Amino acid sequence: MAKKPFRVHGVSNSLWNEDLAPIAREDRTWGAYQFGSLWVAMSVCIPTYMLASGLIAAGMSWKQALGTILLGNVIVLIPMILNAHAGAKYGIPFPVYVRASFGVLGANVPAVLRALVACGWFGIQCWIGGLAIFSMVKVVAPGIAGDAVWYCFAAFWLLNMLVVVRGIETIKAIQAVGAPFMLIVGLALLFWMVGRAGGFGVVLASAAEFQPAAGAATPNFWKLFVPSLTGIVGFWATVALNIPDFTRYARSQKAQMVGQALGLPPAMTLYSFIGIAVTAATVIVTPNHKAIWNPIDLIASFHQPVIAMIGLVALLLATLNTNVAANVVSPSNDFSNLKPSLISFKMGGLITGVLGVLCMPWRLAADPDRYINGWLVGYSGLLGPIAGVMIVDYFIVRRRSLDVEGLYVRGGQYEYVGGFNLKAIAALVAGVVVALVGLFVAPLHWLYEYAWFVGFGVAGGVYLLLMSGPTERAVNPPTPLLIPVRGFGGEGA
């Protein structure tokens, strides 16, 4: 029997469609396992595997790199869980949630910023997936031309678009199956390579030799640590904003909190360790004793075609898992928020795919310095201020109380001035300017190294100060409309 929709007065069709509507209480079915699987699926990917390599290449020891990765993920878990609360309580996605702080139209500013970063990540993951397919093809046809990598890139892009078209339930199904499979494959690769190399003791001793020069890390560690920690926080700063897109499906607050806490830091740290240990083993077992950081290159170098194909298929599944979960769901909703009556979730996903190609991902991931200090740290200065405004607004200004119907109307309490909360936008601009000013003013470069933290603190502080004064309210009452809407009937815990 079909569920009866709630009928809500005042919902504007310029702010609502089925993809942006609240999830009804009875339809919120994700438990701790689903959220743990989500993070395993997103964390077990090639960029995670290679993250430690960028830190070690810069001069850290493997222990310092692993500790920095763990600390960064514990830190980013805090805003992740805080922003997740509204999604689990009210069943609303990120672009609707952010209307409370930025206004029903002003929400498009942070939503589009988040979406554009996701497009860059989407392109990077598609490029990595294309390289994996190219490596698979080379196993079967070693003489294939190098230009074929572009066809492989296009093929993986199309595969991602197919998942988008099939919708959120397909994404959930892929994660449920792919997460444990990928973890098993990663652990199997670890123990197989370590066994060939002579055991963990031998491998970790070899890993200690990754550092370029003896003693180089001690005086340089803190100079490396700060931007590296910021980059690691920036790695998941995107999902720290749009986590309500997932927690809106949560059975309870406990389910999303436990699932995320048990999923994110352990999975990231474990897979980074696998990357370090397996790479150290390659120094011992490969004929030229050269470290192979890229798992695509490593698996493609195996002389057993069956093993190579299984490994590369696993990498492909990992990349697909991460891409559709971390880089498709949010921008699809964000672009839909621009014009809900015209842009659905699926159309938003297609827009994401096109922009992901236009950002030229092969350049973004060209080298470790550009990847960490340019890409990760740079965009963290854009997203940190958004998180600061959102968290201060929800937990301090509104004390976790939202008028859900008001988030979908023009002329309501979230109208502010013409749909924009100018105070939130001013705080956002202040946070971004202070976070990124170090790119242009050399003596202030240290601010850029702390970009996410600086932007978060400045924007949150400015917003709290501005919102302590009188708040603009809508001049005109909302125009009553009668639209069948499901989901406005039950808050979560």
Side-chain angles (χ1 to χ4, degrees), residues 48-53 56 61-67 69 190 203-204 206-208 210 269-283 292-293:
T48 299
Y49 185 103
M50 297 176 63
L51 185 61
S53 69
I56 293 173
S61 70
W62 73 268
K63 293 180 181 178
Q64 291 169 343
L66 201 64
I69 291 169
L190 171 66
V203 166
L204 295 181
S206 175
F210 284 153
T269 306
L270 173 61
Y271 212 62
S272 295
F273 174 76
I274 290 174
I276 291 170
V278 172
T279 303
T282 64
V283 176
I292 303 176
W293 281 106

PDB file of all heavy atoms in Angstrom, residues 48-53 56 61-67 69 190 203-204 206-208 210 269-283 292-293:
ATOM      1  N   THR A  48      43.794   7.390  -1.101  1.00  0.00           N
ATOM      2  CA  THR A  48      44.162   7.080   0.279  1.00  0.00           C
ATOM      3  C   THR A  48      45.455   6.272   0.323  1.00  0.00           C
ATOM      4  O   THR A  48      46.362   6.548   1.120  1.00  0.00           O
ATOM      5  CB  THR A  48      43.040   6.278   0.963  1.00  0.00           C
ATOM      6  OG1 THR A  48      41.849   7.053   0.975  1.00  0.00           O
ATOM      7  CG2 THR A  48      43.419   5.919   2.388  1.00  0.00           C
ATOM      8  N   TYR A  49      45.534   5.256  -0.525  1.00  0.00           N
ATOM      9  CA  TYR A  49      46.726   4.402  -0.607  1.00  0.00           C
ATOM     10  C   TYR A  49      47.967   5.244  -0.875  1.00  0.00           C
ATOM     11  O   TYR A  49      49.036   5.018  -0.319  1.00  0.00           O
ATOM     12  CB  TYR A  49      46.493   3.385  -1.726  1.00  0.00           C
ATOM     13  CG  TYR A  49      47.567   2.328  -1.899  1.00  0.00           C
ATOM     14  CD1 TYR A  49      47.365   1.042  -1.431  1.00  0.00           C
ATOM     15  CD2 TYR A  49      48.747   2.608  -2.572  1.00  0.00           C
ATOM     16  CE1 TYR A  49      48.329   0.051  -1.618  1.00  0.00           C
ATOM     17  CE2 TYR A  49      49.712   1.624  -2.764  1.00  0.00           C
ATOM     18  CZ  TYR A  49      49.503   0.357  -2.279  1.00  0.00           C
ATOM     19  OH  TYR A  49      50.455  -0.618  -2.471  1.00  0.00           O
ATOM     20  N   MET A  50      47.803   6.238  -1.733  1.00  0.00           N
ATOM     21  CA  MET A  50      48.945   7.051  -2.149  1.00  0.00           C
ATOM     22  C   MET A  50      49.159   8.280  -1.278  1.00  0.00           C
ATOM     23  O   MET A  50      50.137   9.006  -1.461  1.00  0.00           O
ATOM     24  CB  MET A  50      48.754   7.484  -3.607  1.00  0.00           C
ATOM     25  CG  MET A  50      48.721   6.326  -4.592  1.00  0.00           C
ATOM     26  SD  MET A  50      48.393   6.856  -6.281  1.00  0.00           S
ATOM     27  CE  MET A  50      49.828   7.888  -6.597  1.00  0.00           C
ATOM     28  N   LEU A  51      48.229   8.542  -0.315  1.00  0.00           N
ATOM     29  CA  LEU A  51      48.347   9.753   0.495  1.00  0.00           C
ATOM     30  C   LEU A  51      49.648   9.782   1.279  1.00  0.00           C
ATOM     31  O   LEU A  51      50.339  10.809   1.342  1.00  0.00           O
ATOM     32  CB  LEU A  51      47.147   9.842   1.453  1.00  0.00           C
ATOM     33  CG  LEU A  51      47.040  11.112   2.291  1.00  0.00           C
ATOM     34  CD1 LEU A  51      46.913  12.343   1.405  1.00  0.00           C
ATOM     35  CD2 LEU A  51      45.837  11.016   3.233  1.00  0.00           C
ATOM     36  N   ALA A  52      49.998   8.662   1.879  1.00  0.00           N
ATOM     37  CA  ALA A  52      51.233   8.609   2.655  1.00  0.00           C
ATOM     38  C   ALA A  52      52.453   8.856   1.777  1.00  0.00           C
ATOM     39  O   ALA A  52      53.460   9.413   2.235  1.00  0.00           O
ATOM     40  CB  ALA A  52      51.360   7.269   3.361  1.00  0.00           C
ATOM     41  N   SER A  53      52.374   8.452   0.517  1.00  0.00           N
ATOM     42  CA  SER A  53      53.529   8.634  -0.360  1.00  0.00           C
ATOM     43  C   SER A  53      53.860  10.101  -0.550  1.00  0.00           C
ATOM     44  O   SER A  53      55.030  10.481  -0.613  1.00  0.00           O
ATOM     45  CB  SER A  53      53.262   7.979  -1.722  1.00  0.00           C
ATOM     46  OG  SER A  53      52.267   8.688  -2.431  1.00  0.00           O
ATOM     47  N   ILE A  56      55.641  11.180   2.672  1.00  0.00           N
ATOM     48  CA  ILE A  56      56.991  10.626   2.766  1.00  0.00           C
ATOM     49  C   ILE A  56      57.910  11.255   1.722  1.00  0.00           C
ATOM     50  O   ILE A  56      59.076  11.545   1.993  1.00  0.00           O
ATOM     51  CB  ILE A  56      56.933   9.091   2.631  1.00  0.00           C
ATOM     52  CG1 ILE A  56      56.223   8.495   3.839  1.00  0.00           C
ATOM     53  CG2 ILE A  56      58.328   8.498   2.496  1.00  0.00           C
ATOM     54  CD1 ILE A  56      55.946   7.017   3.743  1.00  0.00           C
ATOM     55  N   SER A  61      58.966  10.567   7.916  1.00  0.00           N
ATOM     56  CA  SER A  61      59.158   9.126   8.044  1.00  0.00           C
ATOM     57  C   SER A  61      57.797   8.468   7.890  1.00  0.00           C
ATOM     58  O   SER A  61      56.751   9.125   7.974  1.00  0.00           O
ATOM     59  CB  SER A  61      59.748   8.781   9.412  1.00  0.00           C
ATOM     60  OG  SER A  61      58.789   9.006  10.437  1.00  0.00           O
ATOM     61  N   TRP A  62      57.787   7.147   7.710  1.00  0.00           N
ATOM     62  CA  TRP A  62      56.496   6.483   7.529  1.00  0.00           C
ATOM     63  C   TRP A  62      55.652   6.562   8.792  1.00  0.00           C
ATOM     64  O   TRP A  62      54.424   6.670   8.732  1.00  0.00           O
ATOM     65  CB  TRP A  62      56.693   5.039   7.083  1.00  0.00           C
ATOM     66  CG  TRP A  62      57.201   4.084   8.133  1.00  0.00           C
ATOM     67  CD1 TRP A  62      58.499   3.750   8.397  1.00  0.00           C
ATOM     68  CD2 TRP A  62      56.398   3.331   9.056  1.00  0.00           C
ATOM     69  NE1 TRP A  62      58.568   2.840   9.421  1.00  0.00           N
ATOM     70  CE2 TRP A  62      57.292   2.560   9.851  1.00  0.00           C
ATOM     71  CE3 TRP A  62      55.028   3.230   9.301  1.00  0.00           C
ATOM     72  CZ2 TRP A  62      56.861   1.709  10.856  1.00  0.00           C
ATOM     73  CZ3 TRP A  62      54.594   2.382  10.310  1.00  0.00           C
ATOM     74  CH2 TRP A  62      55.508   1.634  11.075  1.00  0.00           C
ATOM     75  N   LYS A  63      56.282   6.546   9.964  1.00  0.00           N
ATOM     76  CA  LYS A  63      55.533   6.655  11.216  1.00  0.00           C
ATOM     77  C   LYS A  63      54.910   8.037  11.364  1.00  0.00           C
ATOM     78  O   LYS A  63      53.757   8.182  11.794  1.00  0.00           O
ATOM     79  CB  LYS A  63      56.449   6.363  12.408  1.00  0.00           C
ATOM     80  CG  LYS A  63      56.930   4.927  12.496  1.00  0.00           C
ATOM     81  CD  LYS A  63      57.823   4.732  13.718  1.00  0.00           C
ATOM     82  CE  LYS A  63      58.340   3.295  13.803  1.00  0.00           C
ATOM     83  NZ  LYS A  63      59.241   3.121  14.971  1.00  0.00           N
ATOM     84  N   GLN A  64      55.673   9.063  11.002  1.00  0.00           N
ATOM     85  CA  GLN A  64      55.135  10.423  11.072  1.00  0.00           C
ATOM     86  C   GLN A  64      53.986  10.603  10.093  1.00  0.00           C
ATOM     87  O   GLN A  64      52.963  11.228  10.411  1.00  0.00           O
ATOM     88  CB  GLN A  64      56.252  11.427  10.779  1.00  0.00           C
ATOM     89  CG  GLN A  64      57.311  11.506  11.859  1.00  0.00           C
ATOM     90  CD  GLN A  64      58.530  12.299  11.420  1.00  0.00           C
ATOM     91  OE1 GLN A  64      58.743  12.530  10.227  1.00  0.00           O
ATOM     92  NE2 GLN A  64      59.343  12.711  12.375  1.00  0.00           N
ATOM     93  N   ALA A  65      54.136  10.046   8.898  1.00  0.00           N
ATOM     94  CA  ALA A  65      53.077  10.160   7.893  1.00  0.00           C
ATOM     95  C   ALA A  65      51.806   9.473   8.369  1.00  0.00           C
ATOM     96  O   ALA A  65      50.699  10.028   8.270  1.00  0.00           O
ATOM     97  CB  ALA A  65      53.547   9.546   6.573  1.00  0.00           C
ATOM     98  N   LEU A  66      51.945   8.269   8.929  1.00  0.00           N
ATOM     99  CA  LEU A  66      50.773   7.524   9.388  1.00  0.00           C
ATOM    100  C   LEU A  66      50.108   8.227  10.568  1.00  0.00           C
ATOM    101  O   LEU A  66      48.872   8.318  10.636  1.00  0.00           O
ATOM    102  CB  LEU A  66      51.192   6.103   9.786  1.00  0.00           C
ATOM    103  CG  LEU A  66      50.084   5.048   9.810  1.00  0.00           C
ATOM    104  CD1 LEU A  66      49.514   4.853   8.406  1.00  0.00           C
ATOM    105  CD2 LEU A  66      50.628   3.727  10.337  1.00  0.00           C
ATOM    106  N   GLY A  67      50.914   8.744  11.485  1.00  0.00           N
ATOM    107  CA  GLY A  67      50.349   9.469  12.626  1.00  0.00           C
ATOM    108  C   GLY A  67      49.631  10.738  12.205  1.00  0.00           C
ATOM    109  O   GLY A  67      48.581  11.085  12.754  1.00  0.00           O
ATOM    110  N   ILE A  69      48.166  11.246   9.315  1.00  0.00           N
ATOM    111  CA  ILE A  69      46.919  10.822   8.661  1.00  0.00           C
ATOM    112  C   ILE A  69      45.861  10.474   9.698  1.00  0.00           C
ATOM    113  O   ILE A  69      44.700  10.888   9.586  1.00  0.00           O
ATOM    114  CB  ILE A  69      47.190   9.636   7.723  1.00  0.00           C
ATOM    115  CG1 ILE A  69      48.014  10.098   6.513  1.00  0.00           C
ATOM    116  CG2 ILE A  69      45.885   8.988   7.260  1.00  0.00           C
ATOM    117  CD1 ILE A  69      48.545   8.970   5.666  1.00  0.00           C
ATOM    118  N   LEU A 190      48.346  -7.057   1.262  1.00  0.00           N
ATOM    119  CA  LEU A 190      49.315  -6.743   2.313  1.00  0.00           C
ATOM    120  C   LEU A 190      50.051  -8.001   2.765  1.00  0.00           C
ATOM    121  O   LEU A 190      51.288  -8.054   2.772  1.00  0.00           O
ATOM    122  CB  LEU A 190      48.594  -6.090   3.488  1.00  0.00           C
ATOM    123  CG  LEU A 190      49.420  -5.898   4.769  1.00  0.00           C
ATOM    124  CD1 LEU A 190      50.542  -4.895   4.537  1.00  0.00           C
ATOM    125  CD2 LEU A 190      48.522  -5.445   5.916  1.00  0.00           C
ATOM    126  N   VAL A 203      59.965  -5.705   6.399  1.00  0.00           N
ATOM    127  CA  VAL A 203      59.273  -4.694   5.601  1.00  0.00           C
ATOM    128  C   VAL A 203      59.331  -3.328   6.273  1.00  0.00           C
ATOM    129  O   VAL A 203      59.632  -2.308   5.628  1.00  0.00           O
ATOM    130  CB  VAL A 203      57.799  -5.110   5.357  1.00  0.00           C
ATOM    131  CG1 VAL A 203      56.978  -3.934   4.831  1.00  0.00           C
ATOM    132  CG2 VAL A 203      57.746  -6.261   4.372  1.00  0.00           C
ATOM    133  N   LEU A 204      59.040  -3.269   7.568  1.00  0.00           N
ATOM    134  CA  LEU A 204      59.044  -1.983   8.259  1.00  0.00           C
ATOM    135  C   LEU A 204      60.450  -1.418   8.366  1.00  0.00           C
ATOM    136  O   LEU A 204      60.637  -0.198   8.373  1.00  0.00           O
ATOM    137  CB  LEU A 204      58.411  -2.142   9.645  1.00  0.00           C
ATOM    138  CG  LEU A 204      56.917  -2.506   9.624  1.00  0.00           C
ATOM    139  CD1 LEU A 204      56.380  -2.629  11.041  1.00  0.00           C
ATOM    140  CD2 LEU A 204      56.120  -1.474   8.837  1.00  0.00           C
ATOM    141  N   SER A 206      62.591  -1.759   6.010  1.00  0.00           N
ATOM    142  CA  SER A 206      62.767  -1.200   4.670  1.00  0.00           C
ATOM    143  C   SER A 206      62.028   0.119   4.537  1.00  0.00           C
ATOM    144  O   SER A 206      62.514   1.060   3.901  1.00  0.00           O
ATOM    145  CB  SER A 206      62.268  -2.187   3.618  1.00  0.00           C
ATOM    146  OG  SER A 206      62.326  -1.630   2.327  1.00  0.00           O
ATOM    147  N   ALA A 207      60.851   0.220   5.180  1.00  0.00           N
ATOM    148  CA  ALA A 207      60.066   1.459   5.102  1.00  0.00           C
ATOM    149  C   ALA A 207      60.807   2.614   5.745  1.00  0.00           C
ATOM    150  O   ALA A 207      60.648   3.771   5.338  1.00  0.00           O
ATOM    151  CB  ALA A 207      58.708   1.261   5.788  1.00  0.00           C
ATOM    152  N   ALA A 208      61.618   2.327   6.754  1.00  0.00           N
ATOM    153  CA  ALA A 208      62.378   3.387   7.415  1.00  0.00           C
ATOM    154  C   ALA A 208      63.378   4.043   6.481  1.00  0.00           C
ATOM    155  O   ALA A 208      63.848   5.149   6.738  1.00  0.00           O
ATOM    156  CB  ALA A 208      63.098   2.819   8.640  1.00  0.00           C
ATOM    157  N   PHE A 210      62.708   4.969   3.428  1.00  0.00           N
ATOM    158  CA  PHE A 210      62.048   5.817   2.437  1.00  0.00           C
ATOM    159  C   PHE A 210      62.489   7.275   2.549  1.00  0.00           C
ATOM    160  O   PHE A 210      62.502   8.014   1.593  1.00  0.00           O
ATOM    161  CB  PHE A 210      60.527   5.769   2.607  1.00  0.00           C
ATOM    162  CG  PHE A 210      59.913   4.510   2.076  1.00  0.00           C
ATOM    163  CD1 PHE A 210      58.725   4.023   2.602  1.00  0.00           C
ATOM    164  CD2 PHE A 210      60.506   3.797   1.051  1.00  0.00           C
ATOM    165  CE1 PHE A 210      58.144   2.875   2.115  1.00  0.00           C
ATOM    166  CE2 PHE A 210      59.932   2.640   0.562  1.00  0.00           C
ATOM    167  CZ  PHE A 210      58.756   2.174   1.097  1.00  0.00           C
ATOM    168  N   THR A 269      43.413   5.084   8.136  1.00  0.00           N
ATOM    169  CA  THR A 269      44.741   4.786   8.678  1.00  0.00           C
ATOM    170  C   THR A 269      45.202   3.396   8.243  1.00  0.00           C
ATOM    171  O   THR A 269      46.361   3.204   7.852  1.00  0.00           O
ATOM    172  CB  THR A 269      44.712   4.879  10.214  1.00  0.00           C
ATOM    173  OG1 THR A 269      44.189   6.150  10.607  1.00  0.00           O
ATOM    174  CG2 THR A 269      46.117   4.720  10.779  1.00  0.00           C
ATOM    175  N   LEU A 270      44.289   2.417   8.298  1.00  0.00           N
ATOM    176  CA  LEU A 270      44.656   1.056   7.893  1.00  0.00           C
ATOM    177  C   LEU A 270      45.057   1.008   6.428  1.00  0.00           C
ATOM    178  O   LEU A 270      46.087   0.401   6.083  1.00  0.00           O
ATOM    179  CB  LEU A 270      43.481   0.105   8.146  1.00  0.00           C
ATOM    180  CG  LEU A 270      43.656  -1.326   7.619  1.00  0.00           C
ATOM    181  CD1 LEU A 270      44.858  -1.996   8.278  1.00  0.00           C
ATOM    182  CD2 LEU A 270      42.374  -2.140   7.847  1.00  0.00           C
ATOM    183  N   TYR A 271      44.275   1.660   5.564  1.00  0.00           N
ATOM    184  CA  TYR A 271      44.597   1.565   4.148  1.00  0.00           C
ATOM    185  C   TYR A 271      45.864   2.341   3.811  1.00  0.00           C
ATOM    186  O   TYR A 271      46.613   1.968   2.904  1.00  0.00           O
ATOM    187  CB  TYR A 271      43.425   2.048   3.300  1.00  0.00           C
ATOM    188  CG  TYR A 271      43.325   1.310   1.982  1.00  0.00           C
ATOM    189  CD1 TYR A 271      43.096  -0.062   1.956  1.00  0.00           C
ATOM    190  CD2 TYR A 271      43.490   1.971   0.769  1.00  0.00           C
ATOM    191  CE1 TYR A 271      43.024  -0.758   0.766  1.00  0.00           C
ATOM    192  CE2 TYR A 271      43.415   1.273  -0.435  1.00  0.00           C
ATOM    193  CZ  TYR A 271      43.180  -0.084  -0.424  1.00  0.00           C
ATOM    194  OH  TYR A 271      43.117  -0.765  -1.607  1.00  0.00           O
ATOM    195  N   SER A 272      46.119   3.433   4.538  1.00  0.00           N
ATOM    196  CA  SER A 272      47.387   4.143   4.349  1.00  0.00           C
ATOM    197  C   SER A 272      48.560   3.265   4.787  1.00  0.00           C
ATOM    198  O   SER A 272      49.617   3.249   4.141  1.00  0.00           O
ATOM    199  CB  SER A 272      47.384   5.451   5.143  1.00  0.00           C
ATOM    200  OG  SER A 272      46.414   6.337   4.653  1.00  0.00           O
ATOM    201  N   PHE A 273      48.376   2.520   5.890  1.00  0.00           N
ATOM    202  CA  PHE A 273      49.430   1.601   6.339  1.00  0.00           C
ATOM    203  C   PHE A 273      49.657   0.511   5.310  1.00  0.00           C
ATOM    204  O   PHE A 273      50.810   0.113   5.050  1.00  0.00           O
ATOM    205  CB  PHE A 273      49.062   0.979   7.687  1.00  0.00           C
ATOM    206  CG  PHE A 273      50.035  -0.082   8.130  1.00  0.00           C
ATOM    207  CD1 PHE A 273      51.266   0.268   8.638  1.00  0.00           C
ATOM    208  CD2 PHE A 273      49.721  -1.432   8.018  1.00  0.00           C
ATOM    209  CE1 PHE A 273      52.185  -0.705   9.038  1.00  0.00           C
ATOM    210  CE2 PHE A 273      50.620  -2.405   8.407  1.00  0.00           C
ATOM    211  CZ  PHE A 273      51.854  -2.036   8.922  1.00  0.00           C
ATOM    212  N   ILE A 274      48.563  -0.010   4.734  1.00  0.00           N
ATOM    213  CA  ILE A 274      48.718  -1.013   3.680  1.00  0.00           C
ATOM    214  C   ILE A 274      49.554  -0.449   2.542  1.00  0.00           C
ATOM    215  O   ILE A 274      50.456  -1.123   2.014  1.00  0.00           O
ATOM    216  CB  ILE A 274      47.334  -1.471   3.172  1.00  0.00           C
ATOM    217  CG1 ILE A 274      46.625  -2.311   4.240  1.00  0.00           C
ATOM    218  CG2 ILE A 274      47.472  -2.281   1.876  1.00  0.00           C
ATOM    219  CD1 ILE A 274      45.204  -2.696   3.885  1.00  0.00           C
ATOM    220  N   GLY A 275      49.280   0.801   2.171  1.00  0.00           N
ATOM    221  CA  GLY A 275      50.056   1.439   1.104  1.00  0.00           C
ATOM    222  C   GLY A 275      51.537   1.529   1.449  1.00  0.00           C
ATOM    223  O   GLY A 275      52.409   1.241   0.624  1.00  0.00           O
ATOM    224  N   ILE A 276      51.840   1.902   2.702  1.00  0.00           N
ATOM    225  CA  ILE A 276      53.237   2.021   3.133  1.00  0.00           C
ATOM    226  C   ILE A 276      53.920   0.650   3.153  1.00  0.00           C
ATOM    227  O   ILE A 276      55.020   0.473   2.617  1.00  0.00           O
ATOM    228  CB  ILE A 276      53.297   2.660   4.537  1.00  0.00           C
ATOM    229  CG1 ILE A 276      52.864   4.134   4.462  1.00  0.00           C
ATOM    230  CG2 ILE A 276      54.710   2.557   5.109  1.00  0.00           C
ATOM    231  CD1 ILE A 276      52.672   4.767   5.819  1.00  0.00           C
ATOM    232  N   ALA A 277      53.268  -0.327   3.775  1.00  0.00           N
ATOM    233  CA  ALA A 277      53.882  -1.648   3.924  1.00  0.00           C
ATOM    234  C   ALA A 277      54.072  -2.344   2.584  1.00  0.00           C
ATOM    235  O   ALA A 277      55.135  -2.941   2.324  1.00  0.00           O
ATOM    236  CB  ALA A 277      53.029  -2.508   4.858  1.00  0.00           C
ATOM    237  N   VAL A 278      53.058  -2.285   1.727  1.00  0.00           N
ATOM    238  CA  VAL A 278      53.177  -2.937   0.427  1.00  0.00           C
ATOM    239  C   VAL A 278      54.257  -2.271  -0.410  1.00  0.00           C
ATOM    240  O   VAL A 278      55.037  -2.942  -1.099  1.00  0.00           O
ATOM    241  CB  VAL A 278      51.819  -2.921  -0.311  1.00  0.00           C
ATOM    242  CG1 VAL A 278      51.980  -3.415  -1.744  1.00  0.00           C
ATOM    243  CG2 VAL A 278      50.813  -3.799   0.430  1.00  0.00           C
ATOM    244  N   THR A 279      54.337  -0.959  -0.334  1.00  0.00           N
ATOM    245  CA  THR A 279      55.374  -0.245  -1.085  1.00  0.00           C
ATOM    246  C   THR A 279      56.760  -0.609  -0.569  1.00  0.00           C
ATOM    247  O   THR A 279      57.705  -0.797  -1.349  1.00  0.00           O
ATOM    248  CB  THR A 279      55.161   1.274  -0.996  1.00  0.00           C
ATOM    249  OG1 THR A 279      53.856   1.585  -1.482  1.00  0.00           O
ATOM    250  CG2 THR A 279      56.199   2.018  -1.820  1.00  0.00           C
ATOM    251  N   ALA A 280      56.882  -0.713   0.757  1.00  0.00           N
ATOM    252  CA  ALA A 280      58.166  -1.130   1.323  1.00  0.00           C
ATOM    253  C   ALA A 280      58.535  -2.528   0.851  1.00  0.00           C
ATOM    254  O   ALA A 280      59.703  -2.828   0.576  1.00  0.00           O
ATOM    255  CB  ALA A 280      58.101  -1.081   2.844  1.00  0.00           C
ATOM    256  N   ALA A 281      57.531  -3.404   0.738  1.00  0.00           N
ATOM    257  CA  ALA A 281      57.795  -4.763   0.266  1.00  0.00           C
ATOM    258  C   ALA A 281      58.250  -4.766  -1.187  1.00  0.00           C
ATOM    259  O   ALA A 281      59.082  -5.608  -1.578  1.00  0.00           O
ATOM    260  CB  ALA A 281      56.540  -5.619   0.425  1.00  0.00           C
ATOM    261  N   THR A 282      57.761  -3.816  -1.990  1.00  0.00           N
ATOM    262  CA  THR A 282      58.182  -3.783  -3.391  1.00  0.00           C
ATOM    263  C   THR A 282      59.669  -3.477  -3.524  1.00  0.00           C
ATOM    264  O   THR A 282      60.312  -3.919  -4.480  1.00  0.00           O
ATOM    265  CB  THR A 282      57.377  -2.733  -4.195  1.00  0.00           C
ATOM    266  OG1 THR A 282      57.651  -1.415  -3.691  1.00  0.00           O
ATOM    267  CG2 THR A 282      55.895  -3.011  -4.131  1.00  0.00           C
ATOM    268  N   VAL A 283      60.213  -2.724  -2.575  1.00  0.00           N
ATOM    269  CA  VAL A 283      61.650  -2.432  -2.613  1.00  0.00           C
ATOM    270  C   VAL A 283      62.460  -3.720  -2.475  1.00  0.00           C
ATOM    271  O   VAL A 283      63.550  -3.857  -3.042  1.00  0.00           O
ATOM    272  CB  VAL A 283      62.023  -1.447  -1.489  1.00  0.00           C
ATOM    273  CG1 VAL A 283      63.531  -1.201  -1.458  1.00  0.00           C
ATOM    274  CG2 VAL A 283      61.277  -0.135  -1.659  1.00  0.00           C
ATOM    275  N   ILE A 292      57.364   1.118  -5.483  1.00  0.00           N
ATOM    276  CA  ILE A 292      56.225   1.357  -6.385  1.00  0.00           C
ATOM    277  C   ILE A 292      55.060   1.824  -5.525  1.00  0.00           C
ATOM    278  O   ILE A 292      54.413   1.030  -4.849  1.00  0.00           O
ATOM    279  CB  ILE A 292      55.843   0.087  -7.168  1.00  0.00           C
ATOM    280  CG1 ILE A 292      57.051  -0.439  -7.952  1.00  0.00           C
ATOM    281  CG2 ILE A 292      54.675   0.363  -8.103  1.00  0.00           C
ATOM    282  CD1 ILE A 292      56.780  -1.749  -8.679  1.00  0.00           C
ATOM    283  N   TRP A 293      54.800   3.137  -5.539  1.00  0.00           N
ATOM    284  CA  TRP A 293      53.747   3.704  -4.698  1.00  0.00           C
ATOM    285  C   TRP A 293      52.364   3.551  -5.316  1.00  0.00           C
ATOM    286  O   TRP A 293      51.377   3.467  -4.610  1.00  0.00           O
ATOM    287  CB  TRP A 293      54.026   5.191  -4.441  1.00  0.00           C
ATOM    288  CG  TRP A 293      55.048   5.421  -3.392  1.00  0.00           C
ATOM    289  CD1 TRP A 293      56.337   5.822  -3.558  1.00  0.00           C
ATOM    290  CD2 TRP A 293      54.874   5.249  -1.989  1.00  0.00           C
ATOM    291  NE1 TRP A 293      56.971   5.904  -2.345  1.00  0.00           N
ATOM    292  CE2 TRP A 293      56.096   5.563  -1.366  1.00  0.00           C
ATOM    293  CE3 TRP A 293      53.800   4.854  -1.186  1.00  0.00           C
ATOM    294  CZ2 TRP A 293      56.271   5.507   0.011  1.00  0.00           C
ATOM    295  CZ3 TRP A 293      53.978   4.803   0.192  1.00  0.00           C
ATOM    296  CH2 TRP A 293      55.198   5.123   0.776  1.00  0.00           C
TER     297      TRP A 293
END
